[in-house]
Amino acid sequence: MATERTLSIIKPDATKRNLTGKINAKFEEAGLRIVAQKRIHLSKEQVGVFYAVHKERPFYDELCEFMASAPVVVQVLEGEGAISKNREVMGATNPADAAEGTIRAEFAESVGENSVHGSDAPETAAEEISYFFAGLELVG
């Protein structure tokens, strides 16, 4: 399996509860390295651009409102099969379905407030990473 990079976002429900360190520890324990990270407060417009792929979905407005409600931590994770590894560590979108020990099983409050976002494919990861980070910010 090849070394990959993927975008991770620690969402407002988790940053409000000061869970960034605990969540980062789970990534690192799984063998992922954090090669870029910053805490930002997105506007609703910025969130809308990022999640434009979901614009026609019924949860889009609620998602944008939530993601702009408080700071988030955006980061780039790197490692062998980083995209699938990150998704495994995050757990199922619905915390009720998430495996024990995953981020969502431990920290998510609901399907909507599920503590983390992760890229789902190499193409998506590249787009999402470039939305938040310039090349010079990625330090392997």
Side-chain angles (χ1 to χ4, degrees):
M1 195 169 268
T3 298
E4 296 175 323
R5 286 183 171 169
T6 188
L7 183 82
S8 168
I9 301 176
I10 301 176
K11 294 181 177 181
D13 61 296
T15 63
K16 285 181 193 174
R17 292 179 289 141
N18 205 28
L19 297 173
T20 302
K22 290 179 180 179
I23 291 171
N24 283 344
K26 287 197 169 285
F27 293 136
E28 292 177 336
E29 288 164 8
L32 295 167
R33 290 182 36 196
I34 300 167
V35 298
Q37 180 180 66
K38 56 187 166 187
R39 182 180 178 96
I40 58 176
H41 196 152
L42 297 165
S43 70
K44 194 171 177 187
E45 293 74 27
Q46 291 168 319
V47 173
V49 170
F50 180 75
Y51 282 114
V53 66
H54 297 303
K55 191 166 182 69
E56 301 305 319
R57 313 261 326 250
F59 59 82
Y60 175 78
D61 287 333
E62 186 178 336
L63 173 63
C64 291
E65 195 73 38
F66 166 63
M67 290 297 289
S69 69
V72 297
V73 174
V74 293
Q75 54 195 5
V76 179
L77 307 176
E78 180 181 81
E80 290 290 315
I83 295 166
S84 60
K85 176 69 74 178
N86 179 35
R87 297 186 72 73
E88 178 184 315
V89 172
M90 288 190 310
T93 301
N94 183 342
D97 298 332
E100 187 175 323
T102 62
I103 292 168
R104 289 176 173 152
E106 290 189 28
F107 304 123
E109 297 183 311
S110 67
V111 174
E113 296 186 6
N114 60 19
S115 299
V116 285
H117 164 92
S119 304
D120 62 1
E123 303 78 27
T124 311
E127 284 179 38
E128 291 181 346
I129 290 167
S130 69
Y131 186 76
F132 292 107
F133 294 96
L136 291 174
E137 295 177 293
L138 303 173
V139 182

